[in-house]
Amino acid sequence: MSASLASWLKPTSKGLYCALGDFFIDPRWPVARAVVTHGHGDHARRGNGHVLATPETLAIMRNRFGEEAGGTLQPLAYGEALRLGEVTVKLVPAGHVLGSAQIVLEHGGCRAVISGDYKRRADPTCAPFEVQHCDVFITEATFGLPVFRHPPDEQEIARLLHSLRLFPERAHVVGVYALGKCQRVLTLLRRHGYGDPIYLHGALMPMCRLYEELGVALGPLLPATGAKRGDLQGKIVLAPPMAISDLWARRLPDPVIAMASGWMRVKQRAKAQGVELPLVISDHADWDELFQTLHDVAAPEIWVTHGAEEAVIRQASLNGLKARALSLKGFEDDAE
Ligand SMILES: [Zn+2]
Ligand SMILES: [Zn+2]
């Protein structure tokens, strides 16, 4: 069954290509027809002729790329089926960031699921991952090593709030990616009862506004730029990862440098980035979530891409699955 699937779904230098529908999934270079899993920069790129994605992903692409988001943008809501050439395409929630989708392709009784990036734990900013049984499941492997086991989010947020109580004179600067992580940290803080205004680096503001327009409430937000030094004492400031080790952060009152990322599990990595308070909060499946997912989707065959392919393939084979690496280029292990 999968032998025939391999004849119409193939890795190419531009990305994964579906020959029966004549489109690329998350293409690396501009193509005539693209189907995009989610808005992160290594999946959604500018300049494609026609883009099919969830309405939220298209809104994110327009927010980031403006006119260059694509020639024509076609929204497809979660769960709706669309015929493209000889395949049926469906988008279902991937639980990764707002609008993120798994792409479900069906042809001749064979079903393939391209999961893009995903996670299994609850995230108040997006729809939860939906299990789709399939014949071939294409999984990411960003945190595909047994060392990566993410702790509960609540525990990490509690550590941040504890530090804030311990150091009421210090600003707490948290490095977060602009799409997804930023809004997730905001909503987790709100759920913990933190109601103070949270200060944002200017680069984070447009995506937060868009999330709010799309119905994700984030609570009171203020721009960090222009705020008086004294105002930021004992406050939380979110900034892109690049800014936290920069001059920008040093202007803040005696900052505690924190960072919210699955990579914070690796102590050397936190240290190299000058992070004093590493928070292990990830938008990708950890080792246990990866294998829980492989179990749940019950696909006899697994294709593994971006990340620690080897370890996942080895473990999947031990579990009796047929697994192989899908060598796709252009996905950054950092983009989370
Ligand atoms: Zn992503
Ligand atoms: Zn990715």
Side-chain angles (χ1 to χ4, degrees), residues 38 40 42-43 96-97 117 284 335:
H38 67 285
H40 277 150
D42 53 336
H43 296 260
H96 176 57
V97 298
D117 293 342
H284 293 271

Side-chain angles (χ1 to χ4, degrees), residues 11-15 28-29 329:
T12 73
S13 59
K14 287 181 175 172
R28 201 177 164 208
W29 308 112
K329 293 201 166 56

Side-chain angles (χ1 to χ4, degrees), residues 122-163:
D123 175 348
T125 69
C126 64
F129 181 95
E130 201 178 292
V131 170
Q132 296 285 308
H133 293 160
C134 51
D135 301 290
V136 174
F137 184 73
I138 302 185
T139 184
E140 59 142 324
T142 305
F143 292 112
L145 289 170
V147 57
F148 292 111
R149 288 191 160 97
H150 308 323
D153 307 333
E154 299 72 35
Q155 181 185 313
E156 301 302 284
I157 291 296
R159 288 174 55 233
L160 172 60
L161 293 174
H162 179 68
S163 174

